[in-house]
PDB file of all heavy atoms in Angstrom:
ATOM      1  N   HIS A   5      -1.353  10.245   2.936  1.00  0.00           N
ATOM      2  CA  HIS A   5      -2.241  11.088   3.746  1.00  0.00           C
ATOM      3  C   HIS A   5      -2.723  10.380   4.997  1.00  0.00           C
ATOM      4  O   HIS A   5      -3.777   9.716   4.992  1.00  0.00           O
ATOM      5  CB  HIS A   5      -3.425  11.541   2.870  1.00  0.00           C
ATOM      6  CG  HIS A   5      -4.286  12.563   3.540  1.00  0.00           C
ATOM      7  ND1 HIS A   5      -5.308  13.207   2.879  1.00  0.00           N
ATOM      8  CD2 HIS A   5      -4.318  13.056   4.801  1.00  0.00           C
ATOM      9  CE1 HIS A   5      -5.907  14.037   3.705  1.00  0.00           C
ATOM     10  NE2 HIS A   5      -5.323  13.966   4.880  1.00  0.00           N
ATOM     11  N   HIS A   7      -2.579  10.693   9.658  1.00  0.00           N
ATOM     12  CA  HIS A   7      -2.387  11.622  10.785  1.00  0.00           C
ATOM     13  C   HIS A   7      -1.971  10.901  12.063  1.00  0.00           C
ATOM     14  O   HIS A   7      -2.530   9.870  12.417  1.00  0.00           O
ATOM     15  CB  HIS A   7      -3.695  12.372  11.061  1.00  0.00           C
ATOM     16  CG  HIS A   7      -4.123  13.236   9.926  1.00  0.00           C
ATOM     17  ND1 HIS A   7      -3.687  14.532   9.761  1.00  0.00           N
ATOM     18  CD2 HIS A   7      -4.925  12.978   8.863  1.00  0.00           C
ATOM     19  CE1 HIS A   7      -4.208  15.033   8.656  1.00  0.00           C
ATOM     20  NE2 HIS A   7      -4.962  14.116   8.085  1.00  0.00           N
ATOM     21  N   HIS A  37      -2.135  17.739  10.302  1.00  0.00           N
ATOM     22  CA  HIS A  37      -2.730  19.075  10.107  1.00  0.00           C
ATOM     23  C   HIS A  37      -1.795  20.097  10.733  1.00  0.00           C
ATOM     24  O   HIS A  37      -1.326  19.915  11.858  1.00  0.00           O
ATOM     25  CB  HIS A  37      -4.071  19.175  10.853  1.00  0.00           C
ATOM     26  CG  HIS A  37      -5.110  18.215  10.415  1.00  0.00           C
ATOM     27  ND1 HIS A  37      -5.777  18.340   9.224  1.00  0.00           N
ATOM     28  CD2 HIS A  37      -5.611  17.093  11.015  1.00  0.00           C
ATOM     29  CE1 HIS A  37      -6.648  17.357   9.115  1.00  0.00           C
ATOM     30  NE2 HIS A  37      -6.570  16.572  10.177  1.00  0.00           N
ATOM     31  N   GLU A  70      -0.500  18.677   6.203  1.00  0.00           N
ATOM     32  CA  GLU A  70      -1.757  19.055   5.564  1.00  0.00           C
ATOM     33  C   GLU A  70      -2.103  20.453   6.059  1.00  0.00           C
ATOM     34  O   GLU A  70      -2.409  20.658   7.235  1.00  0.00           O
ATOM     35  CB  GLU A  70      -2.875  18.058   5.924  1.00  0.00           C
ATOM     36  CG  GLU A  70      -4.180  18.385   5.187  1.00  0.00           C
ATOM     37  CD  GLU A  70      -5.288  17.380   5.444  1.00  0.00           C
ATOM     38  OE1 GLU A  70      -5.150  16.521   6.337  1.00  0.00           O
ATOM     39  OE2 GLU A  70      -6.328  17.470   4.753  1.00  0.00           O
ATOM     40  N   THR A  72      -4.278  23.221   6.866  1.00  0.00           N
ATOM     41  CA  THR A  72      -5.661  23.014   7.248  1.00  0.00           C
ATOM     42  C   THR A  72      -6.337  24.274   7.772  1.00  0.00           C
ATOM     43  O   THR A  72      -5.828  24.893   8.730  1.00  0.00           O
ATOM     44  CB  THR A  72      -5.726  21.898   8.320  1.00  0.00           C
ATOM     45  OG1 THR A  72      -5.119  20.710   7.795  1.00  0.00           O
ATOM     46  CG2 THR A  72      -7.156  21.583   8.729  1.00  0.00           C
ATOM     47  N   ALA A  96      -3.090  20.088   0.959  1.00  0.00           N
ATOM     48  CA  ALA A  96      -4.005  21.103   1.462  1.00  0.00           C
ATOM     49  C   ALA A  96      -5.329  20.425   1.801  1.00  0.00           C
ATOM     50  O   ALA A  96      -5.780  19.524   1.077  1.00  0.00           O
ATOM     51  CB  ALA A  96      -4.245  22.185   0.425  1.00  0.00           C
ATOM     52  N   HIS A  97      -5.914  20.842   2.898  1.00  0.00           N
ATOM     53  CA  HIS A  97      -7.218  20.337   3.355  1.00  0.00           C
ATOM     54  C   HIS A  97      -8.290  21.092   2.555  1.00  0.00           C
ATOM     55  O   HIS A  97      -8.597  22.238   2.823  1.00  0.00           O
ATOM     56  CB  HIS A  97      -7.292  20.661   4.858  1.00  0.00           C
ATOM     57  CG  HIS A  97      -8.494  20.178   5.598  1.00  0.00           C
ATOM     58  ND1 HIS A  97      -8.585  18.903   6.120  1.00  0.00           N
ATOM     59  CD2 HIS A  97      -9.632  20.811   5.959  1.00  0.00           C
ATOM     60  CE1 HIS A  97      -9.739  18.782   6.772  1.00  0.00           C
ATOM     61  NE2 HIS A  97     -10.382  19.927   6.688  1.00  0.00           N
ATOM     62  N   GLY A  98      -8.757  20.405   1.514  1.00  0.00           N
ATOM     63  CA  GLY A  98      -9.655  21.061   0.574  1.00  0.00           C
ATOM     64  C   GLY A  98     -11.069  21.227   1.087  1.00  0.00           C
ATOM     65  O   GLY A  98     -11.370  20.890   2.247  1.00  0.00           O
ATOM     66  N   ALA A 122      -6.311  17.628  -1.027  1.00  0.00           N
ATOM     67  CA  ALA A 122      -7.074  16.549  -0.397  1.00  0.00           C
ATOM     68  C   ALA A 122      -8.565  16.870  -0.406  1.00  0.00           C
ATOM     69  O   ALA A 122      -8.956  18.044  -0.313  1.00  0.00           O
ATOM     70  CB  ALA A 122      -6.599  16.350   1.039  1.00  0.00           C
ATOM     71  N   HIS A 123      -9.364  15.811  -0.504  1.00  0.00           N
ATOM     72  CA  HIS A 123     -10.839  15.906  -0.446  1.00  0.00           C
ATOM     73  C   HIS A 123     -11.355  17.269  -0.932  1.00  0.00           C
ATOM     74  O   HIS A 123     -11.874  18.073  -0.165  1.00  0.00           O
ATOM     75  CB  HIS A 123     -11.362  15.591   0.961  1.00  0.00           C
ATOM     76  CG  HIS A 123     -10.615  16.253   2.101  1.00  0.00           C
ATOM     77  ND1 HIS A 123     -10.715  17.594   2.361  1.00  0.00           N
ATOM     78  CD2 HIS A 123      -9.750  15.771   3.010  1.00  0.00           C
ATOM     79  CE1 HIS A 123      -9.960  17.894   3.404  1.00  0.00           C
ATOM     80  NE2 HIS A 123      -9.360  16.809   3.808  1.00  0.00           N
ATOM     81  N   HIS A 150     -15.712  12.926   3.874  1.00  0.00           N
ATOM     82  CA  HIS A 150     -14.915  13.504   2.796  1.00  0.00           C
ATOM     83  C   HIS A 150     -15.140  12.758   1.474  1.00  0.00           C
ATOM     84  O   HIS A 150     -15.006  13.330   0.395  1.00  0.00           O
ATOM     85  CB  HIS A 150     -13.412  13.432   3.119  1.00  0.00           C
ATOM     86  CG  HIS A 150     -12.968  14.284   4.267  1.00  0.00           C
ATOM     87  ND1 HIS A 150     -13.656  15.370   4.735  1.00  0.00           N
ATOM     88  CD2 HIS A 150     -11.845  14.201   5.046  1.00  0.00           C
ATOM     89  CE1 HIS A 150     -12.998  15.924   5.743  1.00  0.00           C
ATOM     90  NE2 HIS A 150     -11.898  15.224   5.956  1.00  0.00           N
ATOM     91  N   ASP A 173      -6.453   9.330   4.553  1.00  0.00           N
ATOM     92  CA  ASP A 173      -6.733  10.306   5.611  1.00  0.00           C
ATOM     93  C   ASP A 173      -6.926   9.569   6.935  1.00  0.00           C
ATOM     94  O   ASP A 173      -7.723   9.985   7.786  1.00  0.00           O
ATOM     95  CB  ASP A 173      -7.985  11.119   5.235  1.00  0.00           C
ATOM     96  CG  ASP A 173      -8.006  12.511   5.839  1.00  0.00           C
ATOM     97  OD1 ASP A 173      -7.155  12.805   6.709  1.00  0.00           O
ATOM     98  OD2 ASP A 173      -8.873  13.294   5.434  1.00  0.00           O
TER      99      ASP A 173
HETATM  100 ZN1   ZN B   1      -8.085  17.091   5.447  1.00  0.00          ZN
END
Side-chain angles (χ1 to χ4, degrees):
H5 188 172
H7 297 273
H37 299 287
E70 183 176 11
T72 302
H97 184 84
H123 45 72
H150 293 339
D173 208 349

